[in-house]
Amino acid sequence: MEKELPPGLRETLERAARSNRMVLVLTGAGISAESGIPTFRGEEGYWKVGSRNYQPEELATRKAFTKMPEEIWAWYLHRRSVCRRAEPNAAHGALVDLETALGDRFALVTQNVDGLHRRAGSSAERLFEIHGNIELTRCSEECTGAGRDALAPLPASISLDWPRGKALGEEEKRLLRCSRCGGWARPHVLWFDEYYDEELFRSRSALALVEEASLLLVVGTSGQTTLPFQIVLRAASRRIPIVVVNLDESPFSEHALATGGADVRGKAAEWLPAICARLS
Ligand code: NAD
Ligand code: ZN
């Protein structure tokens, strides 16, 4: 059953729906949690290499990839198989319906690399995947430059079923190479020790969307990364109402309240259908 919205939140949403400005949505790993994809703060985050346990923040780095590319690739191929087994949930679906209703008055910035927004039906031009996509690769030596035409899908013959702990075979070691220079291909994701980039991740464009927004809806993110943080701060400084939907308190809760938005504690798949319906 669709959630009943508190009256204050309903009014905030209806006001945004009536304006001719944009509804900007920012999503994080929490929106995909109910699809079965673990967040980084969840218990399944760690990964064993040899006898040592690593945290995702240590593995999702250029430093780790340079030191142990085969192990990092095995981690990504496993995570990719988890993403491909997962199906979009009601929260992804609600955002697709909202986009259908609002058209160019809608934009979606996601930190997720799982591709579930795309698979649910969000359109590529209004979707800003600021941390990349786990289905894409590029040359780790950047032999083709850093533009989006350097991107290639993962080779189709690499198995979609990649159990935890499975090592790369000779075939994958051959396939996960740049076709031009022979160096390692790498996942097209933004690592924790790398900088945002407009050409590869449309990061500046994503931040600029705030200027056009009448409302910012922030879903399932713990706010640990810089660009999402900047988006929220910019919206707060412009007094754009911020509506946060998160299971736990988030660093954005206070901005939600200060901007006359709302801090909704709960599951994205339960709240987004009602929230998006009011915004349509
Ligand atoms: P995070 O793991 O740091 O935080 C997730 C947040 O979502 C938490 O605050 C949690 O309380 C909340 N949450 C959990 N389940 C929820 C639910 N059902 N409904 C609403 N909220 C829920 O995630 P992050 O802030 O996105 O940052 C993690 C980084 O790791 C990002 O850079 C991202 O690219 C990457 N990552 C991506 C995926 C993915 O693509 N699905 C998964 C894990 C990590
Ligand atoms: Zn190359």
Side-chain angles (χ1 to χ4, degrees):
M1 209 182 61
E2 212 169 89
K3 288 275 186 195
E4 181 146 352
L5 304 176
L9 172 56
R10 228 163 42 212
E11 277 161 34
T12 303
L13 299 173
E14 282 165 4
R15 206 172 312 123
R18 281 195 304 272
S19 102
N20 53 12
R21 296 168 72 78
M22 174 186 280
V23 172
L24 178 58
V25 185
L26 169 64
T27 65
I31 196 173
S32 296
E34 284 151 275
S35 293
I37 302 178
T39 67
F40 272 180
R41 322 291 147 199
E43 283 162 17
E44 288 165 69
Y46 78 91
W47 189 255
K48 225 180 173 74
V49 178
S51 57
R52 211 192 127 183
N53 275 337
Y54 288 85
Q55 295 302 318
E57 288 80 355
E58 299 174 274
L59 295 178
T61 60
R62 173 179 277 278
K63 186 169 166 229
F65 184 79
T66 306
K67 203 171 98 194
M68 43 182 188
E70 294 181 20
E71 288 78 9
I72 299 302
W73 260 121
W75 182 57
Y76 273 99
L77 292 178
H78 171 68
R79 288 181 57 210
R80 181 245 197 165
S81 81
V82 172
C83 295
R84 285 292 282 261
R85 269 202 309 272
E87 292 297 332
N89 64 52
H92 299 100
L95 292 175
V96 176
D97 294 343
L98 184 58
E99 178 177 4
T100 306
L102 297 182
D104 284 336
R105 287 184 47 228
F106 173 92
L108 173 53
V109 176
T110 188
Q111 300 168 75
N112 296 344
V113 299
D114 57 32
L116 287 187
H117 286 303
R118 288 190 194 201
R119 280 172 54 205
S122 291
S123 74
E125 69 271 24
R126 299 187 192 109
L127 174 65
F128 294 72
E129 292 177 316
I130 55 169
H131 292 172
N133 188 304
I134 206 159
E135 284 297 326
L136 298 174
T137 70
R138 60 181 211 265
C139 176
S140 67
E141 313 279 345
E142 291 181 1
C143 73
T144 50
R148 286 189 75 81
D149 52 2
L151 306 183
L154 269 168
S157 58
I158 291 189
S159 176
L160 287 176
D161 181 25
W162 201 277
R164 209 172 225 272
K166 179 177 168 183
L168 295 193
E170 291 311 314
E171 181 67 356
E172 288 87 21
K173 286 183 209 167
R174 190 177 61 75
L175 288 168
L176 293 171
R177 291 273 162 189
C178 168
S179 58
R180 290 172 223 224
C181 76
W184 278 104
R186 58 165 282 176
H188 173 55
V189 296
L190 183 72
W191 283 330
F192 284 103
D193 54 356
E194 294 181 316
Y195 294 106
Y196 285 103
D197 173 271
E198 171 66 14
E199 240 190 313
L200 283 172
F201 299 105
R202 295 207 288 164
S203 48
R204 204 173 342 105
S205 307
L207 182 59
L209 292 168
V210 178
E211 312 300 337
E212 300 171 50
S214 61
L215 183 108
L216 174 63
L217 175 60
V218 183
V219 187
T221 173
S222 67
Q224 309 287 316
T225 50
T226 13
L227 183 55
F229 212 88
Q230 284 176 322
I231 289 175
V232 174
L233 285 189
R234 191 175 281 200
S237 73
R238 281 161 182 63
R239 295 261 168 256
I240 295 166
I242 299 171
V243 174
V244 173
V245 180
N246 214 64
L247 210 49
D248 313 304
E249 184 172 8
S250 91
F252 303 139
S253 303
E254 58 173 305
H255 298 298
L257 300 176
T259 55
D263 183 29
V264 180
R265 298 282 161 81
K267 291 186 173 171
E270 289 176 4
W271 283 96
L272 257 60
I275 289 174
C276 292
R278 281 284 157 181
L279 283 169
S280 296

